[in-house]
Amino acid sequence: MRSYYKMVKKALLVGINYKGQPVELKGCINDVNNVAGVLRSKCGYPAENVRILTEATKDAMIAGIQWLVTGNRSGDALVFYYSGHGSTVKDVDGDEKSGRDDVLVPFDYATNGVITDDWLYDNLASKVSGGVTLWGFTDCCHSGTMCDLKYNVVPNCSVRVGRPRSPYDTNNWT
């Protein structure tokens, strides 16, 4: 008797506007709601497998990422989408050529800290089993190496929001 495995699609969407904080943003929660709509209506993600976190704390983001990468099998498709602030902190383990780690900034960053690219690599990127596809989007500043991946896509554009784009420096990538 054959055993058939149905592909699982799961998504974690994090949108943080930082409402009431001096660093407040306006469109991040709208972003995740729009992405959720597309994933459900155009990409076949079941509503129960699309988790949306708004004004998410560090603990909530960590729990959401753990949910996303738990129990996956070859053929599954995962989406991690973050819209909010990104920043950098001093690299404490010496793995960054720049001397800075890229970070995601949870709603409670002032009291509980940030989520580093090192943590994202160890707990998101490296937890994806063989044959599982992970689509990761970080719509924030300092997002270029957010998961510390070995390879990165080189953008093919010369203008960004009407300003000349900084030259792409391959020495910034490992």
Side-chain angles (χ1 to χ4, degrees), residues 4 12 25-26 33 35 38 40 45 50 54 56 70 74 79 81 120-122 124 142 146 151 153 155 159 166 168 174:
Y4 291 98
L12 176 66
L25 298 172
K26 300 291 183 201
N33 288 328
V35 170
V38 169
R40 289 189 294 251
Y45 280 70
V50 177
T54 60
T70 298
S74 181
V79 173
Y81 181 92
L120 286 169
Y121 178 80
D122 291 341
L124 176 63
H142 306 285
M146 192 56 77
Y151 301 103
V153 175
V159 177
S166 300
Y168 182 80
T174 58

Side-chain angles (χ1 to χ4, degrees), residues 5-16:
Y5 177 71
K6 185 175 188 279
M7 171 181 157
V8 173
K9 294 181 175 184
K10 290 168 57 176
L12 176 66
L13 314 175
V14 181
I16 307 175

Side-chain angles (χ1 to χ4, degrees), residues 13-19 25-36 52-56 81-84 107:
L13 314 175
V14 181
I16 307 175
N17 285 346
Y18 309 90
K19 187 164 176 60
L25 298 172
K26 300 291 183 201
C28 301
I29 293 172
N30 286 340
D31 290 346
V32 295
N33 288 328
N34 289 335
V35 170
I52 298 174
L53 300 178
T54 60
E55 307 300 35
Y81 181 92
Y82 172 85
S83 181
F107 184 80

Side-chain angles (χ1 to χ4, degrees), residues 23-90:
V23 295
E24 188 169 338
L25 298 172
K26 300 291 183 201
C28 301
I29 293 172
N30 286 340
D31 290 346
V32 295
N33 288 328
N34 289 335
V35 170
V38 169
L39 290 174
R40 289 189 294 251
S41 68
K42 305 288 184 193
C43 302
Y45 280 70
E48 65 273 13
N49 284 358
V50 177
R51 290 196 179 173
I52 298 174
L53 300 178
T54 60
E55 307 300 35
T57 64
K58 182 177 181 180
D59 287 345
M61 290 174 65
I62 288 170
I65 289 167
Q66 291 169 339
W67 165 81
L68 184 66
V69 297
T70 298
N72 298 298
R73 295 171 54 181
S74 181
D76 290 350
L78 312 177
V79 173
F80 174 72
Y81 181 92
Y82 172 85
S83 181
H85 282 299
S87 190
T88 64
V89 297
K90 185 178 186 314

